[in-house]
Structures are given as C-alpha cells and as structure tokens.
Amino acid sequence: MLDRPAPTDAYTPTAAQQRFIRTRDRTCRHPGCTNRAIWADADHVIPHAAGGPTDCANLCCLCRRHHRLKTFAPGWTHTITPDGILTVTTPS
C-alpha cells in the first residue's frame, strides 16, 4: 500500500500531494460531477486560512465550478475523513 505524502506548511500542495489526490479522487469530488481530476483544483476542505493543513487528509479535487460553490455559496458544508471520504451537505 502506498502512503500519502507528508503535509507541508505551504498553502500550495506539493507535486507529490497533487499526484496523490488526483489518483485517489479521479474526478471532481462533488456528488454527480464527472469532470476529470486532472482539470480540478486541489481544495482545502477546511480552508487554509482557518487553520486547515495542506495535507492529503484535508485536500480534495473540485472542478472550478464546485470549488467556487463551496467557497462562495452560503450554507454548503464539506467534511473529509482521514482516509479521504468526502461528505457534502447542502444548505437545505
């Protein structure tokens, strides 16, 4: 089994972290989205500015549309388990 790359103190994920999450996620992680991970943003589930680490346990692939939805639309919540299971809760 391959282990995930080490966290970094930087905001931007390392190349190894990018490869790991793109391989793990394969597509945008928003439910029902099939945009390929190669075109997705590496998103901090807990925002970096709020203390979220740049660690694969806190990163997921989101296409630009769903990344913006998560970031700017009120009421959406995202949580991720240490092994990468993402839960998205809608405002309703």
Side-chain angles (χ1 to χ4, degrees):
M1 179 172 122
L2 294 176
D3 202 6
R4 62 180 179 244
T8 179
D9 290 331
Y11 171 77
T12 303
T14 65
Q17 289 173 322
Q18 293 271 3
R19 281 190 306 274
F20 181 88
I21 66 168
R22 286 183 176 145
T23 301
R24 179 193 69 196
D25 296 353
R26 300 180 56 157
T27 63
C28 170
R29 295 291 299 279
H30 191 85
C33 187
T34 58
N35 286 322
R36 293 177 46 188
I38 194 72
W39 304 113
D41 297 333
D43 176 62
H44 289 82
V45 177
I46 299 169
H48 192 261
T54 304
D55 181 355
C56 293
N58 187 48
L59 295 169
C60 73
C61 294
L62 290 177
C63 70
R64 184 59 51 95
R65 176 180 174 205
H66 291 120
H67 191 173
R68 288 183 180 188
L69 176 81
K70 175 191 171 274
T71 303
F72 299 115
W76 288 83
T77 59
H78 291 66
T79 57
I80 193 166
T81 63
D83 59 346
I85 298 171
L86 182 71
T87 302
V88 178
T89 306
T90 67
S92 59

